[in-house]
Amino acid sequence: MQKEKFLVVKVGGNVIDDESALKNFLQSFAAIPYKKILVHGGGKIATSIGEKLGIASNYINGRRITDDDTIDLVTMVYGGLINKKIIAALQTLQCNAIGVCGADGNLIPATKRPVVTDDFGWVGDIDSSKIPTTSWNLLLENNFIPVVASLTHDQQGHILNTNADTIAASVAIALSKVSDTQLIYCFEKDGILKDVGDERSVLSSLTFNQYQQLKSEGKLFAGILPKLENAFQTLQSGVSEIVIGNSSRLSDLVAGQSGTKILNG
């Protein structure tokens, strides 16, 4: 029996920050005919609101440190402001979205990242095998479209700030055990660029060996490296297809007619 197709889409911060780009993206997302899940972050908005509230943003190697004040901030911004605005917009498009984070229905249990050399605070790490696929299926089979804020929980009462790429990958891996799951990472570029200085140098596909070669040659933008590492690990864990590309071309990304397809090999 053929598995049903599920789609997990992660939309990046630069799209969330741009009202027009987000509106166009959500219109395309609502029109996708498959069962689907949307994952979002919102770091820049959290930083902006934090500045107004006197909560400074601190980072280690580009990763946000989530102290007590910051976890309250991102819970309000990701799980409240951004999530509910997206839900309201999707409802106008007859897309019956429901806003969740990892604590809702125990959808994404996680563990607080242990301190090795750096203490990132209330940051969560996910074991995809602990994600309850029956709970996700309950939402999807009843025609709800989950919109997931990038927050998890430790089952001890603490909300954890968790990378949205990681959440999308972990949910896709879990669902791949029961469905044919496609993962799409949407951001502001048309795909992975062979030459970071040339917007036209989009790779139609990228294997792990090609990735390693481009990385060793220093041809990849540093910010894309964690996303690609995540993508290759996800592909090896059972997700059928991963595409990275422009949010403005979501329907083409779903159809495999745009973006960069991540391949084994």
Side-chain angles (χ1 to χ4, degrees), residues 233-244:
Q233 292 173 7
T234 303
L235 192 67
Q236 293 166 4
S237 298
V239 174
S240 63
E241 185 175 345
I242 301 173
V243 181
I244 301 175

Side-chain angles (χ1 to χ4, degrees), residues 12-14 16-18 40-59 63-67 69-83 85 149-151 161-162 164:
N14 288 335
I16 298 290
D17 299 337
D18 185 325
H40 69 84
K44 290 184 178 179
I45 295 175
T47 297
S48 175
I49 292 176
E51 289 173 352
K52 295 176 183 178
L53 297 175
I55 301 172
S57 295
N58 298 303
Y59 300 87
R63 296 182 178 181
R64 187 187 296 269
I65 299 172
T66 307
D67 58 17
D69 288 338
T70 302
I71 193 60
D72 287 347
L73 171 68
V74 297
T75 300
M76 289 186 290
V77 175
Y78 300 169
L81 178 66
I82 296 174
N83 190 268
K85 280 190 171 183
S150 53
L151 303 164
N161 186 14
T162 305

Side-chain angles (χ1 to χ4, degrees), residues 167-190:
I167 286 180
S170 299
V171 171
I173 290 169
L175 288 175
S176 72
K177 310 308 178 186
V178 296
S179 66
D180 179 13
T181 306
Q182 182 183 24
L183 173 61
I184 297 181
Y185 287 119
C186 290
F187 67 154
E188 69 279 4
K189 296 189 180 296
D190 289 336

